[in-house]
Amino acid sequence: MDVPQMKSKLKYYGAETLRGIHAFVPEKEPKHYLYDLILDYPNRGGKGFRPGLCIASCKAHGGKLHQAKFTAVTLEMLHNAFLIHDDVEDESAFRRNKPTMHNAHSRAIAINVGDMMNALSLYPLWRNKELLGDKLTQRIFLEVYHLITESAEGQALELGWRQDNQCHLTEKDYLRMILKKTCWYTCIQPIRMGALIGSNGVINPDSFNRLGYFMGAAFQIQDDILNLIGEESAYGKEIGGDIIEGKRTLMLIDLLSKCSSAEHHFIKDYLGTPMLGRDMADAKKILELMHHYKSIDHAKQTSQYLAGAALKEFYTHFSHLKDSEDKAFIETIIMYMINRDY
Amino acid sequence: MDVPQMKSKLKYYGAETLRGIHAFVPEKEPKHYLYDLILDYPNRGGKGFRPGLCIASCKAHGGKLHQAKFTAVTLEMLHNAFLIHDDVEDESAFRRNKPTMHNAHSRAIAINVGDMMNALSLYPLWRNKELLGDKLTQRIFLEVYHLITESAEGQALELGWRQDNQCHLTEKDYLRMILKKTCWYTCIQPIRMGALIGSNGVINPDSFNRLGYFMGAAFQIQDDILNLIGEESAYGKEIGGDIIEGKRTLMLIDLLSKCSSAEHHFIKDYLGTPMLGRDMADAKKILELMHHYKSIDHAKQTSQYLAGAALKEFYTHFSHLKDSEDKAFIETIIMYMINRDY
């Protein structure tokens, strides 16, 4: 499958999921500061990786789209709820080319909308009973419970590092953090849940953990690279926003491990300054240092190694399945993840 | 039952619930910015109304404490998660005589801890299967789902009013808001769920809706009165914090409906000023106006009417139950709710 075909399929699965989200958001008051806002981030149009992976994994394992639809809706609602709270936590200014929810409304409203969205995301899981029976419904519930707790643990690590102004992290620390913060909910559990649904609970979902980890890590690193060097219009976040936010990316961790002692001191001071007091010129200097010490090249290379490992895992664990469009879709998406420019 | 006996029972149910919370919080990393903090608010010692009501309602309907224990844990965890996010949303400084979580740590950490606590609160509901069987477990899950969504709707109303600087609200608006924000999760659903568990699903839980509404409304109004006139050491929040926060209490709504046009203008200006720019002297003047226009007396009277209506509902819907300590406990707690001084 080529990339345009993959994108078109991703778009289709995303549109089906968005329709599902609309169906699960009640048509009632209060609209103005609650229910309308729940649809705001989903309507801006995300990439839809998580529902796409879940549905494709279901179909590649012999299931049908409609069997995975409620689970896909839950994944995408949880993802958007995470984004709303993450934007408040990181004090981010833009999301998908528009002001973040707390900037467009208020922090208080944004926190509450995220809370409601987390709550609403449970209901499609409940509805799974109609499609999957009690036993599989319960397994999927526990999968979702796990992905939520892993993400919050990963978020706690990342926030804690910033709070303590940690400047001596290793690549291993970073990979452990994104395994928790990103990989479980973005790749591992979408693929696991799709496979469980498609195989009617027969498959051992643990066989996908390495695939999802490599894939998710490649994805996150690529995402962080695009934040640094992508074009604003294509990417939808402020350029270099991660440097302004003091986010512990692989590039920053790599730079801190390679730079001179004076530069280390300068970066640590910068990161120790409250966000609003940070100087754009200093942020730019850090970006230049990342180029100078080839930290961005290093991250690109790491992302490509990880994607290679993901492909190997894919061939190991998907090769016994009969060829299908959805199997090819997952293969293409793995390669795309490290080459995408938005 | 007299008040000291009731308090001692409430304390016992609260201690059992706190032990349950500790058992559900995993002993793992990251402790520093996550799992340790999840225990922070519960360990400060809340009043434990919600688990107390749920357990007592279960026992008064013929059940045993251990049957309601997981549900009580969920209620108390959700309550504490609400408090953490509510404190961020209201920019509150103190909670239970200590700095609020976002003040002691950071906003970002507090939001994430609340999210994790919301997630963890689902697991005891899952464990209900061991105690209650599948069918009742599923009913309790839907009860909890409902109380979470009602609370978020109520919170959206209250935050929206502040955001829009609403100064023409009625008592009816206020009661509708606290029905959603407070009554469902504090009274209606703890009593409903206890009765469902105690009666093994036989009772019609809707018969407790009016009781829980009157009780919860009396409780919330009394809570807001104590915020204005209570003593800091007894109450554990900053005095008059609600006025500083611009919270639409019954007293404020009543004052705005009675005061002169010039005073209305002054209050509206004050409430339209960002919180950090509000003058303590102005807050004090608003408190004086509340005394002058007898808005606090009016609120006290309303709270007492509501508690009376709650007692009448209690006699209607609990009189057919055989007398028990827990039945008497609920009766005493209703009367205590409007007379408590902390």
Side-chain angles (χ1 to χ4, degrees), chain B residues 124-141:
Chain B
L125 292 182
W126 174 261
R127 293 280 307 278
N128 263 340
K129 289 199 297 174
E130 300 161 20
L131 301 172
L132 310 177
D134 273 358
K135 208 173 153 193
L136 199 46
T137 295
Q138 293 183 1
R139 282 187 82 173
I140 298 296
F141 176 86

Side-chain angles (χ1 to χ4, degrees), chain B residues 153-214:
Chain B
E153 286 184 11
Q155 185 74 338
L157 284 175
E158 194 182 40
L159 295 173
W161 291 347
R162 276 191 245 184
Q163 182 112 329
D164 294 341
N165 201 16
Q166 272 279 6
C167 290
H168 292 282
L169 296 161
T170 65
E171 198 156 305
K172 199 174 152 191
D173 295 324
Y174 173 80
L175 290 171
R176 188 168 64 101
M177 184 274 285
I178 58 172
L179 167 62
K180 287 183 171 292
K181 188 182 159 161
T182 304
C183 301
W184 281 105
Y185 98 96
T186 303
C187 297
I188 303 175
Q189 262 156 331
I191 298 172
R192 285 172 65 103
M193 292 194 288
L196 277 168
I197 294 168
S199 72
N200 197 23
V202 168
I203 213 154
N204 173 14
D206 293 343
S207 58
F208 305 111
N209 292 1
R210 287 162 58 91
L211 164 60
Y213 165 54
F214 294 142

Side-chain angles (χ1 to χ4, degrees), chain A residues 28 33 35 85 89 106-107 111-112 115-116 119-120 123 126 129 138 145 149 152-153 156 160 163-164, chain B residues 28 33 35 85 89 106-107 111-112 115-116 119-120 123 126 129 138 145 149 152-153 156 160 163-164:
Chain A
K28 64 185 287 207
Y33 287 120
Y35 289 117
H85 282 186
E89 291 164 13
S106 72
R107 211 150 44 206
I111 295 169
N112 192 54
D115 284 342
M116 179 57 115
L120 289 180
Y123 201 72
W126 173 262
K129 289 198 299 173
Q138 293 183 0
Y145 179 78
T149 55
E153 286 183 11
Q163 182 113 328
D164 294 341
Chain B
K28 64 185 288 207
Y33 287 120
Y35 289 117
H85 282 186
E89 290 165 13
S106 72
R107 209 150 45 206
I111 295 170
N112 192 54
D115 284 342
M116 179 57 114
L120 291 179
Y123 201 72
W126 174 261
K129 289 199 297 174
Q138 293 183 1
Y145 179 78
T149 55
E153 286 184 11
Q163 182 112 329
D164 294 341

Side-chain angles (χ1 to χ4, degrees), chain A residues 75-186:
Chain A
L75 279 169
E76 193 62 9
M77 289 180 84
L78 284 173
H79 171 54
N80 282 279
F82 288 158
L83 292 180
I84 295 170
H85 282 186
D86 196 61
D87 286 342
V88 179
E89 291 164 13
D90 295 348
E91 301 175 46
S92 302
F94 297 100
R95 169 69 62 187
R96 296 175 185 159
N97 288 317
K98 288 184 184 173
T100 46
M101 188 166 299
H102 64 279
N103 267 1
H105 302 277
S106 72
R107 211 150 44 206
I109 297 281
I111 295 169
N112 192 54
V113 169
D115 284 342
M116 179 57 115
M117 207 156 178
N118 274 322
L120 289 180
S121 74
L122 300 174
Y123 201 72
L125 293 181
W126 173 262
R127 293 281 306 278
N128 264 340
K129 289 198 299 173
E130 300 161 22
L131 302 172
L132 311 177
D134 272 358
K135 208 173 153 193
L136 199 46
T137 295
Q138 293 183 0
R139 283 187 81 173
I140 298 296
F141 176 86
L142 287 184
E143 292 283 319
V144 170
Y145 179 78
H146 183 258
L147 76 85
I148 299 173
T149 55
E150 285 291 334
S151 309
E153 286 183 11
Q155 186 74 338
L157 284 174
E158 195 182 39
L159 295 172
W161 291 347
R162 274 190 247 184
Q163 182 113 328
D164 294 341
N165 201 16
Q166 272 279 6
C167 290
H168 292 283
L169 296 161
T170 65
E171 198 156 305
K172 200 174 150 189
D173 295 325
Y174 174 80
L175 290 171
R176 189 169 62 102
M177 184 275 286
I178 59 171
L179 167 61
K180 287 184 172 292
K181 188 184 157 160
T182 304
C183 301
W184 281 106
Y185 99 94
T186 303

Side-chain angles (χ1 to χ4, degrees), chain A residues 298-319:
Chain A
H298 170 73
K300 278 183 185 167
Q301 205 171 50
T302 306
S303 175
Q304 276 169 5
Y305 281 141
L306 286 162
L311 271 181
K312 181 182 163 295
E313 285 292 323
F314 171 79
Y315 295 129
T316 307
H317 294 288
F318 277 72
S319 57

Side-chain angles (χ1 to χ4, degrees), chain B residues 1 4 23 37 127 194 213 263 278 289 297 325 335 342:
Chain B
M1 183 175 284
L37 298 189
R127 293 280 307 278
Y213 165 54
E263 287 159 347
R278 287 178 196 150
L289 286 170
D297 290 341
E325 269 203 14
M335 288 187 292
Y342 73 91

